[in-house]
C-alpha cells in the first residue's frame, strides 16, 4: 500500500514528461493563435456546482464523483471535468462585463471513479477550451477548427469529427417525451440504470455503453426529427462553415453526450481504428443554458475537452526520454571538484545544462556515468589539469578530445553547444 499509487491513478515519470511538454507547448501556441487565453480554476469546487451543471442523473454525478465533506462540514468535490469550474469563475468574476466574448483554455487533472482500464483512469487529464458569450454559429466553427488543427499540428491521423445537434430546451423537451415513450415500450431490454432513468433522463440510454441498451435503442427516434427551425438553421450554418474551411466531419444523429448541459452543436473526435468505449479522444458542444443555470445572466457558450492520456496514445513516438545534460563534468580530487561545481553553475546560469558526480569515484567510473547521462560533451579535470591550467574536453559522439584552458572552458563549451 505504501509503495503503490491509488488504483486508476498514474505517475507521469521523467521518461514520459517530454511527450507531455511537447503536447502542452503545441497546445499553448495553437490556442494563442486562435485567441484563447489560459484560465486556471481550482481542482475542488462545491459539490452542488457539478450536480447542477452536469446533471444530477448523469453517470458522473450519480456514480463517479470524488465527493466528500471537509473538516468544516462543507460538501466538496474533486472536479470531474473543467467546464463547470470555468463557467463558475466566469460568473463569479463577471467576465461578461469586460468583453463580449470570453475565450479561455485550461489543462489539468480531472477525477472520476470509473473502472480503470487502458485510456480510462480515475485521475486523468484534460485540455479544453470554452468560448462564452456568442450564440452565432461562427464561433462553433472556430472552436471546431481549433480542435481539428490541433490534431493536424500533432500529426495525429485516424480521427473522425462526429457532429450532431441536440436542439434547444424547447425542441429537446418534445424529443425527450418521444424518446421516453419509445424506451418505456422497450423497458425490459434496457440495463437497470437506464430503466431507472427512463423518466428522469431518457437521453442517457443513447449514451449508455452496455450492449443491451445499444441494441434496444438502435431504432430509437432521433433528435434530428424533432429539431426546430432555429436550431436546424444553426446546425446548417455550422456544417456550411466547416465545409468552407475544408474540415471533414460525419453527422452522427445518435450522439447525445453524457452531460446534461449540452444544447445544439455537440461533437466528438473519434479514433477510427479503436473499437469500443474508449474511442472518443475529445468531446464537447454548446451549453447555452449553463451560465444562467448556475446563477449568471443568460449567456451562450461552447467548448470541448480533450482526454490527454488518450491523445498521447495516438502521438507518433517523440523518441526522446528524460532530458539529457549538454555537459558532464568529471572531476577527480578536491580542488578539481570545487572547480567543477563552479563551472557547472557558470554554465547553467548561461542556459547550458550541466551535470556532475556528487560523490565522484575514479575516472573510469565517472566516464561511465557521463556516458549513461547522455551528455554531448564531457569535461575531464584532475589535479594535473588544475596544475597545468587546462582541462580535457571530450566530444561524446566523435570521441575526440582536446585541451582547453580553464579560463576559456565555459566559453568554448558555449560555442560548441551552439553548433550541437
Ligand atoms: P467516455 O464516453 O469515453 O466515457 P465521456 O463522454 O465521459 O467519455 P467527457 O466527459 O466528454 O467524456 O470528457 C472528454 C474527454 O475526456 C473524453 O473524450 C476522453 O478522451 C476523456 N476522458 C473522459 N473520462 C476519462 C477517463 N476516465 N480517463 C481518461 N480519459 C477520460
Ligand atoms: Mg464517461
Amino acid at each position: 500500500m505504501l509503495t503503490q499509487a491509488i488504483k486508476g491513478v498514474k505517475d507521469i515519470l521523467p521518461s514520459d514528461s517530454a511527450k507531455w511538454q511537447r503536447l502542452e507547448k503545441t497546445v499553448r501556441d495553437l490556442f494563442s493563435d486562435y485567441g484563447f487565453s489560459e484560465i486556471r480554476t481550482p481542482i475542488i469546487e462545491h459539490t452542488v456546482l457539478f450536480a447542477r451543471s452536469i446533471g444530477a442523473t448523469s453517470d458522473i454525478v450519480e456514480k463517479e464523483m470524488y465527493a466528500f465533506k471537509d473538516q468544516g462540514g462543507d460538501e466538496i468535490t474533486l472536479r470531474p471535468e473543467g467546464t463547470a469550474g470555468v463557467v463558475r469563475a466566469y460568473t463569479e468574476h463577471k467576465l461578461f462585463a469586460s468583453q463580449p466574448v470570453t475565450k479561455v483554455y485550461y489543462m489539468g487533472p480531472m477525477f472520476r471513479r470509473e473502472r480503470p482500464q487502458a485510456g480510462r483512469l480515475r485521475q486523468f487529464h484534460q485540455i479544453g477550451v470554452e468560448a462564452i458569450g456568442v450564440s452565432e454559429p461562427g464561433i462553433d466553427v472556430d472552436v471546431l477548427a481549433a480542435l481539428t488543427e490541433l490534431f493536424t499540428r500533432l500529426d495525429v491521423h485516424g480521427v473522425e469529427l462526429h457532429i450532431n445537434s441536440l436542439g434547444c430546451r424547447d425542441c429537446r423537451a418534445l424529443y425527450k417525451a418521444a424518446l421516453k415513450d419509445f424506451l418505456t415500450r422497450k423497458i425490459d431490454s434496457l440495463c437497470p440504470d437506464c430503466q431507472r432513468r427512463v423518466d428522469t433522463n431518457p437521453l442517457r440510454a443513447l449514451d449508455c455503453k452496455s450492449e443491451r441498451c445499444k441494441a434496444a435503442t438502435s431504432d430509437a427516434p432521433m433528435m434530428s426529427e424533432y429539431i426546430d427551425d432555429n436550431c436546424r438553421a444553426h446546425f446548417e450554418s455550422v456544417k456550411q462553415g466547416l465545409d468552407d474551411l475544408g474540415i471533414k466531419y460525419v453527422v452522427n444523429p445518435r450522439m447525445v453526450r453524457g452531460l446534461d448541459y449540452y444544447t445544439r452543436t455537440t461533437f466528438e473526435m473519434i479514433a477510427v481504428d479503436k473499437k469500443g468505449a474508449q474511442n472518443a479522444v475529445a468531446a464537447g458542444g454548446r451549453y447555452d443554458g449553463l451560465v444562467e443555470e448556475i446563477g449568471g445572466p443568460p449567456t451562450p457558450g461552447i467548448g470541448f475537452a480533450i482526454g490527454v492520456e488518450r491523445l498521447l496514445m495516438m502521438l507518433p513516438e517523440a523518441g526522446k526520454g528524460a532530458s539529457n545534460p549538454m555537459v558532464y563534468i568529471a572531476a577527480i580530487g578536491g580542488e578539481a571538484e570545487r572547480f567543477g561545481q563552479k563551472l557547472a553553475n557558470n554554465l547553467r546560469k548561461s542556459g547550458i545544462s550541466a551535470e556532475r558526480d556528487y560523490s565522484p569515484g575514479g575516472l573510469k567510473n565517472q566516464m561511465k556515468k557521463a556516458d549513461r547521462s547522455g551528455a554531448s560533451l564531457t569535461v575531464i579535470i584532475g589535479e594535473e589539469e588544475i596544475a597545468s591550467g587546462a582541462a580535457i574536453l571530450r566530444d561524446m559522439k566523435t570521441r575526440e578530445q582536446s585541451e582547453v584552458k580553464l579560463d576559456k572552458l565555459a566559453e568554448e563549451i558555449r560555442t560548441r553547444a551552439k553548433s550541437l
Side-chain angles (χ1 to χ4, degrees):
M1 193 125 155
L2 287 180
T3 55
Q4 222 154 35
I6 291 168
K7 207 172 156 197
V9 161
K10 278 202 174 148
D11 298 304
I12 297 158
L13 297 174
S15 53
D16 294 329
S17 55
K19 234 178 166 183
W20 283 74
Q21 288 176 0
R22 180 167 91 88
L23 172 63
E24 285 161 7
K25 176 160 188 342
T26 308
V27 160
R28 286 182 193 284
D29 291 348
L30 175 125
F31 287 161
S32 155
D33 293 344
Y34 281 78
F36 293 86
S37 313
E38 188 177 11
I39 185 165
R40 302 188 189 194
T41 65
I43 282 169
I44 49 175
E45 297 275 0
H46 293 300
T47 298
V48 64
L49 173 69
F50 300 115
R52 183 67 68 81
S53 52
I54 301 168
T57 52
S58 62
D59 272 355
I60 295 179
V61 174
E62 277 192 342
K63 301 189 271 194
E64 299 170 358
M65 292 210 303
Y66 282 98
F68 60 97
K69 228 188 226 166
D70 76 2
Q71 314 263 353
D74 289 338
E75 299 285 353
I76 307 272
T77 291
L78 298 185
R79 61 181 188 192
E81 56 96 58
T83 305
V86 171
V87 168
R88 195 264 314 135
Y90 172 86
T91 310
E92 179 172 347
H93 303 288
K94 299 194 169 49
L95 299 186
F96 43 83
S98 51
Q99 299 155 317
V101 56
T102 299
K103 289 166 72 178
V104 292
Y105 76 88
Y106 60 84
M107 39 177 101
M110 306 294 162
F111 304 84
R112 296 184 196 177
R113 197 176 184 291
E114 300 195 71
R115 199 163 67 78
Q117 31 189 312
R120 196 172 289 283
L121 299 166
R122 290 180 170 178
Q123 174 174 339
F124 61 102
H125 295 75
Q126 285 186 339
I127 291 174
V129 309
E130 312 293 350
I132 311 176
V134 179
S135 57
E136 280 73 17
I139 195 98
D140 306 36
V141 176
D142 275 356
V143 164
L144 287 167
L147 178 62
T148 314
E149 176 65 8
L150 178 60
F151 284 80
T152 307
R153 288 197 193 178
L154 291 170
D155 207 17
V156 173
H157 306 280
V159 286
E160 247 171 37
L161 176 62
H162 286 209
I163 62 170
N164 190 23
S165 175
L166 290 184
C168 60
R169 213 176 336 190
D170 298 340
C171 51
R172 197 154 68 220
L174 296 175
Y175 174 57
K176 260 187 169 174
L179 186 61
K180 199 166 109 184
D181 273 358
F182 171 88
L183 294 173
T184 309
R185 274 181 272 125
K186 296 240 176 173
I187 192 111
D188 294 333
S189 335
L190 302 176
C191 78
D193 271 344
C194 291
Q195 287 188 4
R196 185 172 48 79
R197 292 185 296 204
V198 162
D199 287 331
T200 49
N201 202 343
L203 259 68
R204 293 287 67 83
L206 295 184
D207 192 49
C208 184
K209 305 276 190 298
S210 96
E211 292 304 326
R212 282 174 72 177
C213 293
K214 279 186 192 162
T217 58
S218 62
D219 57 344
M222 293 291 142
M223 182 66 225
S224 51
E225 300 158 34
Y226 291 84
I227 193 167
D228 67 22
D229 289 347
N230 286 338
C231 292
R232 188 183 304 278
H234 183 97
F235 194 44
E236 290 307 316
S237 300
V238 172
K239 288 190 283 183
Q240 180 69 60
L242 294 175
D243 291 339
D244 290 345
L245 300 188
I247 295 170
K248 295 205 174 66
Y249 57 87
V250 177
V251 176
N252 177 356
R254 262 194 75 92
M255 187 176 62
V256 294
R257 310 285 307 112
L259 297 82
D260 283 355
Y261 52 60
Y262 286 119
T263 53
R264 291 194 164 176
T265 317
T266 46
F267 51 91
E268 287 185 351
M269 198 58 100
I270 307 269
V272 279
D273 53 352
K274 284 218 183 96
K275 299 227 159 42
Q278 269 87 271
N279 59 0
V281 191
R286 267 200 174 271
Y287 42 83
D288 290 346
L290 184 55
V291 178
E292 192 178 9
E293 181 69 38
I294 69 155
T299 314
I302 180 167
F304 63 71
I306 304 165
V308 177
E309 283 82 358
R310 292 189 197 175
L311 178 57
L312 285 173
M313 287 194 273
M314 304 185 72
L315 274 194
E317 266 316 307
K320 195 165 178 255
S323 54
N324 298 336
M326 176 65 71
V327 183
Y328 196 91
I329 300 164
I332 298 123
E335 222 180 312
E337 269 183 59
R338 282 178 59 206
F339 180 86
Q341 173 127 47
K342 270 193 283 176
L343 177 65
N345 197 47
N346 194 341
L347 291 171
R348 289 166 178 164
K349 279 162 80 142
S350 55
I352 292 172
S353 58
E355 272 315 321
R356 57 194 193 90
D357 196 340
Y358 291 100
S359 53
L363 179 63
K364 214 167 149 200
N365 179 284
Q366 290 196 51
M367 288 312 288
K368 226 185 250 167
K369 288 183 181 160
D371 222 17
R372 216 179 307 143
S373 79
S376 308
L377 299 168
T378 296
V379 174
I380 303 163
I381 179 161
E383 306 286 318
E384 224 173 87
E385 283 74 21
I386 294 284
S388 69
I392 296 164
L393 186 59
R394 179 183 171 92
D395 185 315
M396 299 301 278
K397 219 190 224 150
T398 63
R399 299 182 184 170
E400 271 168 45
Q401 298 196 161
S402 51
E403 246 189 36
V404 182
K405 287 241 171 334
L406 293 185
D407 55 356
K408 293 268 174 341
L409 196 53
E411 200 186 313
E412 173 69 18
I413 292 171
R414 279 187 210 110
T415 314
R416 294 241 208 141
K418 264 185 225 145
S419 61
L420 277 167

